[in-house]
Each structure stands twice: as C-alpha cells, then as structure tokens.
C-alpha cells in the first residue's frame, strides 16, 4: 500500500466524525507550534503512537508514514544543533513527527469523500461572503491528503539522486520535487476537468432544488 492510503476498519478512531478528527488535528498543530515545549511535544508524539495500534494499524505502516521525512528531520536537528542547541533541535523533530503522524492517522482512518463532506458542512458560511465552500473543502482535503505524498516524492527523488552521487546537492533534490509536484497538480486539475467537476455548496444546491420545485408548481 502507499502511505496514507485509507485503511478500512471499525475502531473508535474510524468511527470518530471526520470533522472532529480534522478539528483535533488543527488544534494539536496549533498548540505544537505556539507552545514549543519538549515534554508536551514528546507526550503528543507518544499519544499518537498509541492511537495507531488502537486503530488496528500495524507499526510498520506507522513507520512508513515518518520514513519519507526522516532525512529532513535529521537535517533540521543538525541545523538547530549548530544554530541554537540540541534541545531546540529535539523539539523541532518531536513536534514535526507528531504532526506528521497525526495527519497520516487522520487520512488513514478517513475516506476522502467523508473528509470533503465534513469540511464543506463546516465551511458553508463562506458561501455568504462569496466563497464557494465546496472548492475550499476540496483544496483543504487535497492538501491534507498530499502532505505525506509529497514527503514520499521527496524521498524517492533523494534516493535517485543519491544513486547518481548527488545526495549532498539541495538543488538536485529540490528541482525534481518541484517539477513532479507541479505535474501532479496538473494531472489532478485535468482529472477534475475531465469529470466536469462543478462543486456547489449544500446551501446553493438546496436553493436550486427549491427553485426547481417552485417552477414545477
């Protein structure tokens, strides 16, 4: 399986409403970055690690979620060690790992369609300020879904460049990652256009349905 691919299950994490899971992810991410404390970050990481087996997800799948950014974590730790101190480097590694594993847990236990529906319901108010909540929910869902995918692409490119002896070149890794990311975005846009994707908010759908009903009457 690919990382962050939905894994069917009947655990309480699977049954938790998608909106609540996304909200908890947002709250945790905010707390991790506004409250840079080592004990808090380590506790968050430990709790996320406990939730994986509770969701029926094997340890090797959990490790597969963090493996693509392992080199990045080491690099960040070294930079923080040189620029600040080892405590700062450890905090950065712990909170990024906790956030990455939490986001992956949400996507592993939530169908994309359920995630989009949950986001759209809670963003319906955007329609009244001229913003289509369906498009925003799709964008947020895709962003959440593709964070680990981008990490996987980075790892693939890094391994390929390492085989060519370019493992120490940031540009040799960054440019192919950017190109592949843009190509993936183009493919997604083309797929949406091919399916004539035209999102409408529930409010707009209900309004159109009422208009059709009144026209029939």
């Amino acid at each position: 399986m690919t990382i962050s691919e939905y894994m069917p299950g009947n655990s309480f994490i699977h049954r938790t409403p998608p909106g609540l899971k996304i909200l908890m992810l947002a709250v945790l991410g905010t707390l991790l970055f506004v409250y840079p404390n080592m004990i808090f970050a380590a506790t968050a990481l430990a709790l996320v690690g406990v939730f994986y087996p509770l969701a029926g997800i094997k340890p090797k799948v959990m490790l597969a979620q963090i493996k693509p950014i392992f080199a990045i974590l080491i690099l960040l730790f070294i930079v923080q060690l040189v620029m600040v101190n080892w405590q700062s480097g450890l905090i950065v590694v712990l909170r990024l790992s906790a956030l990455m594993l939490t986001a992956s847990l949400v996507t592993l236990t939530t169908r994309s369609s359920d995630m989009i529906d949950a986001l759209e319901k809670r963003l319906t108010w955007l329609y009244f300020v001229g913003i289509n909540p369906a498009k925003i929910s799709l964008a947020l869902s895709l962003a959440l879904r593709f964070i680990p995918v981008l990490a996987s692409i980075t790892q693939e490119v890094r391994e390929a460049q390492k085989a060519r002896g370019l493992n120490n070149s940031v540009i040799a890794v960054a440019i192919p990652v950017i190109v592949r990311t843009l190509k993936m975005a183009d493919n997604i846009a083309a797929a949406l256009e091919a399916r004539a994707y035209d999102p409408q908010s529930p409010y707009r759908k209900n309004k159109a349905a009422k208009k059709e009903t009144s026209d029939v009457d």
Side-chain angles (χ1 to χ4, degrees):
M1 65 174 292
T2 59
I3 61 174
S4 290
E5 180 181 345
Y6 173 69
M7 298 184 67
N10 194 34
S11 69
F12 78 94
I13 298 177
H14 285 82
R15 297 193 302 272
T16 301
L20 180 58
K21 285 190 277 190
I22 295 171
L23 176 62
M24 293 177 67
L25 173 61
V27 171
L28 177 63
T30 303
L31 291 176
L32 283 171
F33 282 91
V34 300
Y35 188 57
N37 180 275
M38 188 183 300
I39 296 176
F40 176 70
T43 303
L45 181 59
L47 286 175
V48 175
V50 171
F51 283 140
Y52 270 79
L54 291 178
I57 299 173
K58 296 179 180 178
K60 68 176 184 180
V61 177
M62 181 181 70
L63 294 176
Q65 312 306 310
I66 203 74
K67 185 179 177 182
I69 65 167
F70 190 68
I72 298 174
L73 294 176
I74 293 176
L75 178 62
L76 289 174
F77 178 80
I78 294 174
V79 170
Q80 291 293 320
L81 177 64
V82 174
M83 302 295 292
V84 190
N85 52 46
W86 68 269
Q87 291 92 339
S88 179
L90 187 57
I91 290 174
V92 170
V93 171
L94 289 174
R95 63 185 182 183
L96 282 180
S97 300
L99 189 57
M100 180 72 179
L101 287 176
T102 306
S104 297
L105 182 62
V106 171
T107 56
L108 283 167
T109 57
T110 310
R111 291 186 178 87
S112 296
S113 56
D114 294 337
M115 195 180 304
I116 292 173
D117 288 343
L119 286 169
E120 189 174 342
K121 286 179 182 177
R122 282 149 185 83
L123 295 175
T124 303
W125 58 273
L126 288 176
Y127 179 77
F128 299 101
V129 294
I131 300 174
N132 190 332
K135 291 183 179 179
I136 299 298
S137 62
L138 176 64
L140 291 174
S141 178
L142 287 177
L144 190 60
R145 175 68 65 182
F146 282 100
I147 288 175
V149 175
L150 291 177
S152 178
I153 290 175
T154 303
Q155 185 192 26
E156 291 176 7
V157 172
R158 193 175 63 82
E159 290 178 353
Q161 300 298 50
K162 185 178 180 180
R164 299 184 179 96
L166 299 173
N167 52 311
N168 293 324
S169 175
V170 176
I171 295 177
V173 175
I175 291 178
V177 169
I178 293 172
V179 171
R180 287 185 60 176
T181 302
L182 293 176
K183 188 174 184 301
M184 183 174 67
D186 284 340
N187 291 337
I188 294 172
L192 292 175
E193 287 184 6
R195 289 167 174 77
Y197 180 70
D198 183 21
Q200 292 185 345
S201 72
Y203 175 81
R204 194 172 177 180
K205 289 178 182 177
N206 294 336
K207 190 175 180 180
K210 289 179 180 178
K211 186 176 184 302
E212 290 178 0
T213 303
S214 62
D215 291 343
V216 171
D217 294 339

